[in-house]
Amino acid sequence: MSTRLQLIDQGILYRNPHPGHEAICAFHPQIVLLSEGRLLCSYRRGQALYSLDGHVGLLRSGDAGRTWSESGMLHDSEKDPDGPFTYATPWLSRMS
């Protein structure tokens, strides 16, 4: 028995708010279903895939992914500077 995925909608999760002034890209989104229609998405945001300014951002959707809202960054390096490091690809898992 095979299972097939069905695309029911598509869109953009993150758009650079200042494309003419900053090179900010979003990489490796991971989406997890929290409950019926509620989704959480983590993604890496920075200048480049391995740039030192890369951080993990969080997005939430309450309408099954049709629209998304920013929930902020997972770690604020300005409030808690740990030195030169970079966040890699975020992975989400739903647990009981």
Side-chain angles (χ1 to χ4, degrees), residues 24-28 42-58 72-90:
I24 303 173
C25 303
F27 305 94
H28 305 298
S42 65
Y43 64 99
R44 185 184 195 288
R45 183 165 83 189
Q47 290 183 43
L49 188 56
Y50 302 113
S51 62
L52 291 178
D53 69 337
H55 294 287
V56 176
L58 296 172
M73 304 307 283
L74 188 62
H75 178 265
D76 187 347
S77 61
E78 291 181 12
K79 291 181 182 176
D80 184 23
D82 293 332
F85 66 93
T86 184
Y87 284 106
T89 302

Side-chain angles (χ1 to χ4, degrees), residues 2-22:
S2 67
T3 303
R4 297 181 58 110
L5 293 175
Q6 179 183 1
L7 177 64
I8 58 172
D9 207 348
Q10 62 182 339
I12 296 172
L13 294 171
Y14 174 81
R15 186 181 304 272
N16 181 351
H18 308 288
H21 301 280
E22 295 179 289

Side-chain angles (χ1 to χ4, degrees), residues 24-46:
I24 303 173
C25 303
F27 305 94
H28 305 298
Q30 298 291 317
I31 300 172
V32 65
L33 178 66
L34 299 176
S35 64
E36 186 64 35
R38 290 182 50 234
L39 302 169
L40 176 66
C41 174
S42 65
Y43 64 99
R44 185 184 195 288
R45 183 165 83 189

